Amino acid sequence: MKKALLNGILLDGSEGVQPLAGRAVVLEGDRIAAVLPQNQLDAAGCEVIDLAGHYLMPGLINLHVHIPGSGRPAKKPMDTKKVVKFATSNALTRKYLEHMYRTLSRTELYSGVTTLRSVGGVEGYDAWMRDEINAGRAEGPRILAGNMAISVPGGHMAGSLAYEATTPEEAAGYVRQIAGTRPDLIKLMITGGVLDATAKGEPGALKMAPELVKAACEEAHRLGLPVAAHVESPEGVRVALQNGVDTIEHGAKPDEEIIRLFRERGAVHVATLSPALPYALFDPSVSHVDEMGRFNGKIVFEGVIECAKACLANGIPVGLGTDTGCPFVTHYDMWRELAYFHKFCGVSNAFALYTATKRNAEILGLGDVTGSIGPGRCADLIVCAGNPLEDLSALRQLELVVARGRVIRRPRVKKMPQVEAELDRFC
């Protein structure tokens, strides 16, 4: 049976989005069959869903997720290598790992994320989760799976969510190995991060040599896979762009050469303000970060902001992701990334909404599939009571989520009160 969404206020996902009343959105299967004036709708044979004046918009798209991480803060850094080794050590722990993937993917969906891109997970579980959802055996968003990433000895996430390459040949070999797990992209860990830094003022130190980056990118592109890279320093951004990376995850303060390289490569900046904010702005008694970590966190946070601003000013596409899995970054808070984008990068609420929907879809190559509302697009939709053009926190609690035509009424997720209280100070 067709479904007709009536009496809502439509926000279609376009850059210049304006509220539009009096429209009916008709769903058939997993697609939007029609968008037409409500007074022209013949509702015979339709299941009518009355939106009661609430706001209807495309589902959110999260470009940077580590599915198995919950975002729960800890008093000391976690030994991820030890945790992953234990989680994959036997059949019982693997069952629990599968349970975590299912639970956290459902949380993303119920918070309004109808598409996500995973950028570093445990073994091949990202693709496994994608396939479980696609087969209807689990609830969750559309997933573009990254599976394992590639790092170097002593590099970011080395030995836990990333293989350790030491030569160009090994880097290319790991690309082929990961490709055998049927991912949708390849992730490189080119620099360190805040927690990897060994000196004040030196976050994002270059870890992966340019020749390894080049070898990995060339092999990934030969196999038809795009390359995303963790980079948190200008040197890292430069090396990534010079050697073939397609999306710069996080980023750093760019110079003229970096902007030129972005243009020449046709590359994209994926801004992630959520993970650095607690390091940079929280009281250390809350973040449990030492003085060096807080100082370096501010450098990374400001670098992400400056990279996004410079890219926007120069017509370079900027997408949004949360880096969910980092401390204080949950699977239900994509709305905060939009709010930070508005607050710290100076974009309008409308542009933040556009970026998290239509623009993110275009970055993924899915602009003709999802991210906007129109005939033929996938029925990936959310409904909120308030107007997000006026206040992005309207996205915090949803009335309805539609994922590929499946309707979820009044979705609810379990939240962490401490995390909510601390983050609410900043948006």
Side-chain angles (χ1 to χ4, degrees):
M1 180 181 288
K2 291 182 180 180
K3 298 179 178 68
L5 307 182
L6 306 180
N7 302 320
I9 301 173
L10 181 65
L11 305 174
D12 64 7
S14 61
E15 183 173 353
V17 60
Q18 294 291 328
L20 187 61
R23 293 295 187 273
V25 177
V26 181
L27 313 182
E28 185 170 9
D30 66 350
R31 297 283 156 179
I32 298 172
V35 179
L36 69 163
Q38 194 164 302
N39 59 13
Q40 295 180 15
L41 173 69
D42 179 2
C46 289
E47 176 190 350
V48 173
I49 299 175
D50 186 349
L51 301 184
H54 295 160
Y55 290 80
L56 173 67
M57 60 175 282
L60 303 177
I61 299 174
N62 191 341
L63 293 188
H64 195 113
V65 177
H66 300 282
I67 299 174
S70 69
R72 187 177 300 278
K75 291 186 177 180
K76 60 181 180 178
M78 183 183 297
D79 185 340
T80 55
K81 188 181 294 188
K82 184 177 180 180
V83 170
V84 170
K85 183 178 180 180
F86 174 75
T88 57
S89 62
N90 59 66
L92 182 61
T93 55
R94 284 180 178 273
K95 280 294 182 185
Y96 183 71
L97 182 61
E98 291 178 5
H99 170 73
M100 282 183 59
Y101 262 85
R102 290 177 182 274
T103 299
L104 297 173
S105 296
R106 183 173 60 246
T107 297
E108 287 274 350
L109 178 63
Y110 279 27
S111 70
V113 173
T114 54
T115 298
L116 69 78
R117 183 180 62 152
S118 68
V119 283
V122 177
E123 296 181 349
Y125 279 94
D126 291 356
W128 168 82
M129 191 72 254
R130 174 198 65 198
D131 295 346
E132 288 292 290
I133 292 167
N134 289 347
R137 294 188 292 266
E139 287 186 295
R142 176 187 293 101
I143 293 176
L144 278 75
N147 293 341
M148 289 287 283
I150 302 172
S151 188
V152 295
H156 196 61
M157 292 298 174
S160 58
L161 305 185
Y163 296 118
E164 300 171 83
T166 59
T167 66
E169 292 75 21
E170 281 189 354
Y174 280 129
V175 169
R176 291 190 293 273
Q177 182 175 334
I178 295 165
T181 66
R182 298 176 300 105
D184 299 294
L185 67 144
I186 296 295
K187 172 74 178 298
L188 304 181
M189 304 294 191
I190 292 178
T191 75
V194 175
L195 295 181
D196 301 313
T198 58
K200 192 173 181 179
E202 295 181 1
L206 184 67
K207 300 285 186 178
M208 185 176 286
E211 57 267 26
L212 272 70
V213 178
K214 183 177 181 181
C217 288
E218 287 180 348
E219 188 64 10
H221 292 155
R222 186 185 72 81
L223 296 171
L225 294 168
V227 180
H230 166 102
V231 281
E232 293 188 346
S233 66
E235 182 184 17
V237 175
R238 193 174 296 109
V239 166
L241 294 173
Q242 287 171 338
N243 291 283
V245 165
D246 300 295
T247 62
I248 298 297
E249 312 294 313
H250 316 305
K253 183 178 180 178
D255 55 21
E256 290 184 7
E257 182 189 10
I258 286 174
I259 294 299
R260 176 181 60 79
L261 288 168
F262 263 113
R263 285 204 184 102
E264 289 179 0
R265 280 282 308 129
V268 172
H269 175 222
V270 176
T272 56
L273 293 110
S274 295
L277 184 144
Y279 292 105
L281 302 183
F282 277 20
D283 187 289
S285 66
V286 174
S287 64
H288 303 294
V289 175
D290 61 19
E291 182 187 354
M292 183 181 77
R294 192 163 194 254
F295 186 88
N296 288 338
K298 287 183 178 180
I299 293 175
V300 171
F301 185 60
E302 291 167 3
V304 174
I305 293 169
E306 291 187 43
C307 193
K309 285 183 173 180
C311 285
L312 290 172
N314 285 276
I316 294 161
V318 175
L320 291 179
T322 57
D323 204 3
T324 294
C326 290
F328 292 96
V329 189
T330 74
H331 284 279
Y332 54 77
D333 268 346
M334 178 64 184
W335 75 269
R336 292 190 191 274
E337 188 68 27
L338 281 70
Y340 299 151
F341 194 43
H342 163 69
K343 180 176 182 177
F344 296 106
C345 295
V347 304
S348 66
N349 286 355
F351 192 84
L353 289 171
Y354 155 72
T355 302
T357 55
K358 191 173 188 290
R359 178 54 112 184
N360 274 0
E362 292 167 345
I363 288 169
L364 294 177
L366 297 175
D368 60 346
V369 175
T370 191
S372 58
I373 298 178
R377 294 291 190 270
C378 196
D380 297 329
L381 308 165
I382 58 176
V383 175
C384 54
N387 183 359
L389 292 175
E390 296 177 354
D391 185 351
L392 289 165
S393 70
L395 301 172
R396 184 175 197 154
Q397 184 62 65
L398 301 177
E399 303 301 314
L400 198 75
V401 171
V402 183
R404 288 180 272 189
R406 179 173 171 269
V407 177
I408 304 163
R409 290 176 169 83
R410 298 191 65 77
R412 295 294 181 265
V413 298
K414 186 177 180 180
K415 299 186 178 183
M416 299 178 232
Q418 177 202 357
V419 171
E420 294 289 283
E422 296 299 334
L423 293 176
D424 281 350
R425 301 173 189 270
F426 300 95
C427 62

